[in-house]
């Protein structure tokens, strides 16, 4: 991926030198033509087209922002209620992620979301132990995390 980005930027600079111009618009035009060239020759690169990963990262950030807003509203509802009817608890989340950085990102995203906190990770990195403010429906929480964060991280990394 890094090679494709550097190649694209290099092609944009070559375009600028051929146009004998240092205007930002010429760099953007060269970047666009370089993008088309890299896309045309994508089968010769060992990794997939880098723009797909950029879109996947943007999608992951959008999913996190959506979950952040929804969980803030859920915590706010619990705080506003006069009677607390929550069941805090710890549940295990089995994960399909293998690399350390993938598990770290998943743990950080879960921890940054209000109402949940990653307490521990198993020795073989296959299970995350999560403390939830309301763990009454742990299966729904596991399914939600797997369908949002874990799926998006797998899109970025694979």
């Amino acid at each position: 991926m890094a090679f494709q980005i550097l190649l694209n930027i290099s092609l944009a600079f070559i375009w600028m030198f051929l146009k004998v111009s240092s205007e930002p618009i010429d760099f953007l035009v060269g970047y666009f033509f370089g993008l088309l060239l890299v896309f045309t020759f994508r089968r010769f690169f060992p990794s997939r087209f880098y723009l797909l990963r950029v879109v996947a990262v943007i999608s992951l950030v959008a999913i996190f922002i959506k979950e952040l807003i929804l969980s803030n509203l859920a915590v706010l509802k619990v705080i506003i209620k006069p009677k607390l009817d929550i069941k805090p608890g710890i549940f295990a989340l089995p994960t399909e992620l293998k690399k350390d950085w993938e598990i770290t990102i998943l743990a950080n995203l879960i921890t940054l979301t209000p109402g949940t906190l990653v307490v521990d990770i198993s020795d073989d990195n296959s299970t995350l132990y999560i403390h939830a403010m309301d763990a009454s429906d742990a299966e729904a929480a596991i399914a939600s995390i797997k369908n949002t964060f874990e799926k998006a991280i797998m899109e970025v990394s694979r």
Side-chain angles (χ1 to χ4, degrees), residues 28-45:
L28 292 176
V29 169
Y31 191 84
F32 176 73
F33 285 135
L35 191 67
L36 291 176
L37 196 62
V38 171
F39 180 75
T40 303
F41 292 105
R42 70 186 179 278
R43 66 182 181 148
F44 297 110
F45 298 115

Side-chain angles (χ1 to χ4, degrees), residues 14-129:
I14 290 171
W15 178 265
M16 283 178 57
F17 293 143
L18 289 174
K19 292 279 290 183
V20 189
S21 172
S22 62
E23 296 293 321
I25 190 70
D26 288 324
F27 178 80
L28 292 176
V29 169
Y31 191 84
F32 176 73
F33 285 135
L35 191 67
L36 291 176
L37 196 62
V38 171
F39 180 75
T40 303
F41 292 105
R42 70 186 179 278
R43 66 182 181 148
F44 297 110
F45 298 115
S47 62
R48 68 181 181 163
F49 185 54
Y50 80 93
L51 207 54
L52 296 175
R53 279 205 182 152
V54 171
V55 170
V57 168
I58 292 170
S59 172
L60 177 62
V61 170
I63 288 170
F64 173 67
I65 290 172
K66 182 190 97 171
E67 291 295 324
L68 183 69
I69 291 169
L70 292 176
S71 63
N72 273 317
L73 291 174
V75 169
L76 186 64
K77 277 194 249 181
V78 169
I79 292 171
I80 290 176
K81 283 185 183 177
K83 181 182 176 190
L84 289 177
D85 55 348
I86 59 173
K87 295 181 183 175
I90 297 176
F91 61 90
L93 171 75
T95 183
E96 297 174 21
L97 302 175
K98 302 295 179 204
K99 298 176 185 165
D100 287 341
W101 70 270
E102 294 172 338
I103 296 168
T104 302
I105 289 178
L106 178 62
N108 285 332
L109 290 176
I110 292 169
T111 300
L112 288 172
T113 306
T116 56
L117 173 71
V118 176
V119 179
D120 195 16
I121 300 173
S122 66
D123 291 334
D124 60 351
N125 290 342
S126 65
T127 306
L128 278 70
Y129 297 99

